[in-house]
Amino acid sequence: MVKLNGTSRLPDINSKILLTQTDTTVGFLSQNAPKLCDIKSRDNAKPFIKVYKNFQALKRDYKRVPNTQKNRIRRLKKTTFIVKNFSFRVAEDSLHSSVLRKFSWNYSTSANKSTKNFSRVFCEEKADIIIEDKNGLFEGKSSKLYKINNKKIKRLR
């Protein structure tokens, strides 16, 4: 089910805030980072995780990944990586909605106010588009987080 807050038929969807179930937990997705910062009431300097629909989209975005870590990135699911202060996740199987398939990437953040738990009322007020399937929206376990380079891998979460 896709629910819109407005009367238009998805004009300029790139600037919209989407509320959906991601591969890990319920989250806000958008290509508009400043708007996400406003919703979350968080510092503009704090970066968001960039979620790619596949590994090819990551490569098209000119993001270099250490050769020694490429197989790990392709293989691990529900995992976020940090390479040179750039955080990303490849989530091929989570983009079920036809609305989301058109994007090769989105900024992603948990659907809550900073340091708070998931509140459906808060999320529905802030989201422009709500995408929900038969399982509904639920707060799941957050992704694993690894900082990687050519030689080392360090688990942060």
Side-chain angles (χ1 to χ4, degrees), residues 18-33:
L18 305 159
L19 174 67
T20 187
Q21 186 68 39
T22 65
D23 58 333
T24 54
T25 189
V26 63
F28 289 124
L29 300 177
S30 181
Q31 292 190 337
N32 187 342

Side-chain angles (χ1 to χ4, degrees), residues 50 52 55-65 86:
K50 207 168 184 181
Y52 292 92
F55 196 75
Q56 287 72 31
L58 173 67
K59 289 184 353 185
R60 275 194 302 271
D61 204 17
Y62 303 111
K63 299 302 177 193
R64 295 202 32 120
V65 176
F86 172 72

